Amino acid sequence: RSGTMGTFGTIKGAVLVAGKSYKAGEEVFCSYGPKSAIDYLIEHGFVPDQCWRTKVSELTFELDPEDRFYDDKLDILEFETYDSAPMDPTQSFDLVAAPGQDGE
């Protein structure tokens, strides 16, 4: 979750919250989220083994200004994405395919 920190609470930062209790010295793992091998390499400088079985693609959708429901759809996008991209008629989404718990 995002927040502020520092002596005066003016430095923007993030707080990581564990989903369980840990003992002193116990190993903690961090997920970088679903990414392709090239994204890991460019953004983090390494490629974890499991990402070779994970496929990540980006889908981009754009509203057609000639659509008779263009304004209505734009209103929905504004409501659903206001904090990240208000009223942007083009939106991108990550599509992820990864092996399930049984490996398939």
Side-chain angles (χ1 to χ4, degrees):
R1 66 186 169 185
S2 63
T4 57
M5 54 189 70
T7 306
F8 302 106
T10 57
I11 300 170
K12 291 183 179 181
V15 176
L16 298 179
V17 180
K20 70 172 205 164
S21 296
Y22 288 92
K23 296 177 184 172
E26 186 176 354
E27 189 172 12
V28 176
F29 295 92
C30 180
S31 171
Y32 292 91
K35 297 181 182 207
S36 65
I38 193 66
D39 287 335
Y40 271 106
L41 189 60
I42 290 172
E43 294 175 16
H44 306 292
F46 67 94
V47 179
D49 291 336
Q50 80 272 10
C51 84
W52 296 110
R53 297 185 317 248
T54 302
K55 308 296 182 254
V56 181
S57 294
E58 182 178 86
L59 297 177
T60 301
F61 296 93
E62 185 172 354
L63 295 179
D64 180 357
E66 301 301 317
D67 185 332
R68 69 182 190 149
F69 297 109
Y70 179 81
D71 289 335
D72 295 326
K73 292 176 181 180
L74 199 59
D75 287 343
I76 292 169
L77 279 176
E78 179 182 14
F79 177 77
E80 294 296 327
T81 63
Y82 187 75
D83 292 334
S84 60
M87 297 185 68
D88 187 353
T90 303
Q91 297 289 317
S92 297
F93 303 89
D94 288 334
L95 178 65
V96 180
Q101 290 183 354
D102 60 2
E104 293 186 26

